[in-house]
């Protein structure tokens, strides 16, 4: 489980793929994560407003109760990603690949 912004940034610097990683209660506002590989990851209550996830590998990822407003997901791989009660208001989604994605609104 990734429990802090600093931990995630250190892991990203290694260039490894973090398949199935769990991210909980992270404040990633404005952070640069372009090209990060987090397939089948679970994001719970994360705030990533204005974060840059361009070209990120997020296939099969699940976002639960997250705030992804103004996030840059341009060119991200979002095949079979799930967005449950997650805000994508003003998110940049150009050229993303989101086949069979699931979007569930907030209650």
């Amino acid at each position: 489980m990734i429990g802090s912004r600093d931990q995630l940034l250190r892991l990203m610097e290694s260039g490894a793929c973090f398949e199935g990683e769990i991210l909980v209660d992270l404040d990633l506002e404005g952070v640069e994560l372009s090209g990060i590989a987090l397939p089948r990851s679970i994001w719970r209550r994360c705030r990533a407003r204005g974060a840059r996830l361009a070209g990120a590998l997020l296939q099969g990822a699940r976002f639960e109760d997250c705030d992804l407003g103004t996030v840059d997901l341009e060119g991200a791989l979002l095949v079979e990603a799930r967005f449950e009660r997650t805000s994508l208001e003003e998110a940049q989604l150009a050229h993303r690949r989101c086949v069979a994605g699931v979007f569930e609104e907030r209650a």
Side-chain angles (χ1 to χ4, degrees), residues 30-94:
V31 74
E32 171 62 54
L33 297 172
S34 293
I36 195 166
L38 284 162
R40 286 172 280 296
S41 54
I42 299 171
W43 301 57
R44 289 190 181 122
R45 299 177 306 277
C46 293
R47 177 180 162 83
R49 293 188 69 78
R52 187 158 162 73
L53 289 157
L57 303 177
L58 298 166
Q59 64 270 29
R62 191 168 74 221
F63 298 86
E64 302 169 350
D65 300 304
C66 294
D67 182 355
L68 304 179
T70 69
V71 72
D72 180 357
L73 288 165
E74 183 171 344
L77 181 59
L78 298 166
V79 173
E80 295 182 354
R82 295 183 65 88
F83 298 88
E84 301 171 8
R85 301 168 309 280
T86 291
S87 171
L88 285 161
E89 186 175 345
E90 297 183 37
Q92 297 175 36
L93 298 166

